């Protein structure tokens, strides 16, 4: 290992007591490859087994906590005790490769397609968004106060299932525009009850979920259990989440005794849009706000060993890698062994079997132009 990268391979202790063997985390990535009944498929298990040997922790694809939170075909379920064996097989597959298994728990809210939720009943913080947009051609209805409480409990129940399944932790998915973010955002939360109306009230749902998940961990976990929270720092709508609002959320989350916060970005070097100036990256602004209270995981377009080292030098203790681990499942080992010239940063048509990528994920990669860097020979196909 060259000395310039050795800091990436130092261990890291989380607050709960879990020790991570290095600074690399596999980013949560939905693969749409689960079975019809919501269980994890063998193709999915093979996909994880192939690419999680090097990282210290895998954050799984997001699992839905209630039937009306399913946002993707082929998404796996965490909404009933019948799913515990499925969650256990996922955890054991990841742990067999030497990584911690953290289940990402989610409700997709207004982003759920009507065809995937019972009776096509799509729910969100509010019926409409402030600029009346629609997602997927259908309008959600606003959750009642009782239903809001039920969803908070469901996050706790899925956490209990994760504990019983032997997972090492859960990550609360408060990012990427899904239900938790829909409550935090002034764009999608137009409520006037205790769950909306002011910045403080828009934070109530995310914070209540954190409290419930932590309560369940104290009640049920017999070993140290990781609890993390993922957030998106900004939205491009007006009104929408700005850095100023995110600072307030991060302030509140940093005092919740979480193991980590996880910023969701496409590029870890990205600059703020609103609410903070461009003299620093979003990651640096957030790190300043956190002020050492909780570790931050950074993510976004880390493809080379130098990218990873640069991310660490921005002050990030942990970095998540997403697409690059799909493109090159041996990426971490290659960095560790200084085999840098062997790292692939593009995907090619012939690679599916070699990379152990299930068909639905492969089709997503092939059909969404610009999402994955494609090798020249297939770029035109
Ligand atoms: C195929 C795919 C699926 C994703 N699914 C999720 C998800 O389930 N949960 C989540 O928080 N982020 C999801 N993301 C975002 C990634 O976690 C990550 O933030 C993003 O890909 C940027 O990191 P990268 O440049 O290393 O890929 C997904 C990204 C991709 C490419």
């Amino acid at each position: 290992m060259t000395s310039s990268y050795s800091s990436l391979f130092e261990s890291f202790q989380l607050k709960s007591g879990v020790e991570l063997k290095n600074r690399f985390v596999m980013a949560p990535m939905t693969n749409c490859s689960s079975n019809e009944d919501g269980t994890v498929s063998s193709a999915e298990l093979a996909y994880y087994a192939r690419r999680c040997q090097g990282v210290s922790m895998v954050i799984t694809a997001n699992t839905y906590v209630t039937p009306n939170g399913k946002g993707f075909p082929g998404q796996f379920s965490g909404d009933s005790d019948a799913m515990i064996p499925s969650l256990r097989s996922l955890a054991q597959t990841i742990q067999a490769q030497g990584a911690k298994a953290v289940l990402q728990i989610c409700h997709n809210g207004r982003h759920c397609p009507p065809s995937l939720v019972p009776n096509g009943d799509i729910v969100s913080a509010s019926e409409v968004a402030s600029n009346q947009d629609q997602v997927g051609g259908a309008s959600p209805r606003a959750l009642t106060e009782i239903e809001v409480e039920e969803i908070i409990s469901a996050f706790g129940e899925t956490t209990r299932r994760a504990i019983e399944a032997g997972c090492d932790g859960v990550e609360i998915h408060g990012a990427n525009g899904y239900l938790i973010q829909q409550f935090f955002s002034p764009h999608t939360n137009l409520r006037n009850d205790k769950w909306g109306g002011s910045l403080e009230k828009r934070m109530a749902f995310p914070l209540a979920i954190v409290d419930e998940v932590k309560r369940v961990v104290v009640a049920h976990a017999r070993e140290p259990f990781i609890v993390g929270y993922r957030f998106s720092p900004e939205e491009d709508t007006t009104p929408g989440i700005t850095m100023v609002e995110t600072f307030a959320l991060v302030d509140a989350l940093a005092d919740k005794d979480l193991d980590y916060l996880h910023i969701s970005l496409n590029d870890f070097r990205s600059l703020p849009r609103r609410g903070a100036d461009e003299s620093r990256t979003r990651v640096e602004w957030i790190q300043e706000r956190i002020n050492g209270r909780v570790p931050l995981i950074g993510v976004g377009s880390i493809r080379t060993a130098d990218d990873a080292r640069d991310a660490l030098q921005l002050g990030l203790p942990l970095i998540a890698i997403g697409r690059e681990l799909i493109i090159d499942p041996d990426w971490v080992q290659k960095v560790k062994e200084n085999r840098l010239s062997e790292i692939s940063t593009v995907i090619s048509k012939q690679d599916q079997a070699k990379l152990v990528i299930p068909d639905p994920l492969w089709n997503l990669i092939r059909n969404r132009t610009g999402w994955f860097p494609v090798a020249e020979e297939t770029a035109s196909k």
Side-chain angles (χ1 to χ4, degrees):
M1 195 196 312
T2 57
S3 58
S4 56
Y5 303 121
S6 58
S7 50
L8 293 162
F9 293 91
E10 285 169 9
S11 63
F12 189 81
Q13 174 108 28
L14 295 171
K15 273 190 189 168
S16 57
V18 175
E19 170 119 353
L20 301 179
K21 67 183 178 193
N22 63 36
R23 306 310 180 92
F24 293 110
V25 173
M26 181 169 167
M29 286 184 288
T30 294
N31 53 58
C32 298
S33 306
S34 307
N35 298 316
E36 273 292 305
D37 63 0
T39 55
V40 175
S41 68
S42 50
E44 228 171 339
L45 295 177
Y47 157 88
Y48 277 106
R50 176 66 189 91
R51 47 187 42 76
C52 64
Q53 299 98 336
V55 295
S56 59
M57 173 164 88
V58 172
I59 304 165
T60 68
N62 75 71
T63 188
Y64 50 97
V65 300
T66 58
N68 66 2
K70 182 172 183 178
F72 301 94
Q75 189 179 359
F76 69 92
S77 165
D79 70 354
S80 73
D81 283 7
M83 294 298 138
I84 292 174
S86 154
L87 300 178
R88 185 174 295 124
S89 64
L90 179 59
Q92 288 178 347
T93 298
I94 292 167
Q95 290 158 347
Q97 302 301 324
K100 304 293 179 195
V102 172
L103 186 71
Q104 193 185 51
I105 55 178
C106 183
H107 188 298
N108 282 266
R110 60 191 287 122
H111 285 285
C112 295
S115 59
L116 292 185
V117 298
N119 307 316
D121 183 28
I122 307 166
V123 295
S124 183
S126 299
E127 196 179 333
V128 290
S130 53
N131 66 1
Q132 308 260 326
D133 69 345
Q134 282 192 348
V135 181
S139 285
R141 75 175 168 81
L143 287 161
T144 64
E145 287 198 44
I146 289 172
E147 288 172 323
V148 173
E149 302 281 0
E150 285 169 353
I151 289 179
I152 293 166
S153 300
F155 274 91
E157 278 293 274
T158 302
T159 300
R160 176 185 56 76
R161 291 176 198 122
I163 293 167
E164 288 179 23
C167 293
D168 297 288
V170 293
E171 176 175 284
I172 301 165
H173 193 355
N176 300 356
Y178 299 132
L179 186 68
I180 296 178
Q181 186 175 325
Q182 289 160 28
F183 269 83
F184 180 51
S185 168
H187 171 58
T188 41
N189 184 345
L190 311 181
R191 300 175 77 101
N192 281 312
D193 57 7
K194 68 178 195 182
W195 304 110
S198 64
L199 171 60
E200 201 182 11
K201 288 181 176 173
R202 283 189 276 111
M203 293 197 311
F205 183 66
L207 297 179
I209 289 173
V210 171
D211 289 343
E212 175 63 4
V213 166
K214 297 276 296 178
R215 186 192 67 75
V216 167
V217 170
V218 169
H220 293 274
R222 299 283 161 262
E223 287 170 19
F225 190 81
I226 302 165
V227 180
Y229 185 99
R230 194 171 212 206
F231 64 96
S232 293
E234 294 197 73
E235 289 178 331
D236 58 7
T237 51
T238 305
I241 298 169
T242 67
M243 291 295 283
V244 170
E245 297 193 309
T246 291
F247 290 152
L249 179 64
V250 162
D251 261 340
L253 290 170
D255 290 335
K256 288 282 179 197
D257 207 28
L258 292 161
D259 282 284
Y260 67 82
L261 299 183
H262 185 180
I263 190 167
S264 180
L265 294 171
N266 273 324
D267 187 339
F268 75 94
R269 299 181 175 94
S270 64
L271 299 174
R273 194 184 276 127
R274 292 177 299 192
D277 67 44
E278 294 190 357
S279 61
R280 278 183 277 175
T281 61
R282 287 161 159 159
V283 160
E284 289 170 300
W285 279 111
I286 302 283
Q287 282 285 74
E288 181 188 81
R289 198 67 183 203
I290 290 175
N291 195 21
R293 284 176 288 170
V294 59
L296 180 67
I297 304 182
V299 71
S301 301
I302 294 168
R303 301 209 168 92
T304 66
D306 283 350
D307 290 336
R309 189 194 50 202
D310 291 351
L312 216 68
Q313 282 172 355
L314 271 188
L316 291 164
L318 297 166
I319 50 182
I321 318 254
R323 288 165 293 186
E324 188 53 36
L325 280 180
I326 293 182
I327 296 168
D328 191 338
D330 302 316
W331 191 92
V332 178
Q333 295 92 314
K334 288 177 182 173
V335 173
K336 188 171 186 184
E337 292 159 18
N338 204 24
R339 294 188 283 135
L340 304 187
S341 61
E342 294 175 36
I343 289 176
S344 326
T345 52
V346 291
I347 204 157
S348 79
K349 193 188 168 200
Q350 295 73 30
D351 288 345
Q352 184 189 1
K354 188 179 82 183
L355 299 179
V356 195
I357 298 176
D359 289 340
L361 177 59
W362 183 250
N363 292 335
L364 281 178
I365 293 170
R366 300 265 303 143
N367 295 334
R368 211 169 131 180
T369 322
W371 207 21
F372 277 73
V374 179
E376 235 161 57
E377 74 272 12
T378 58
S380 58
K381 293 186 187 166

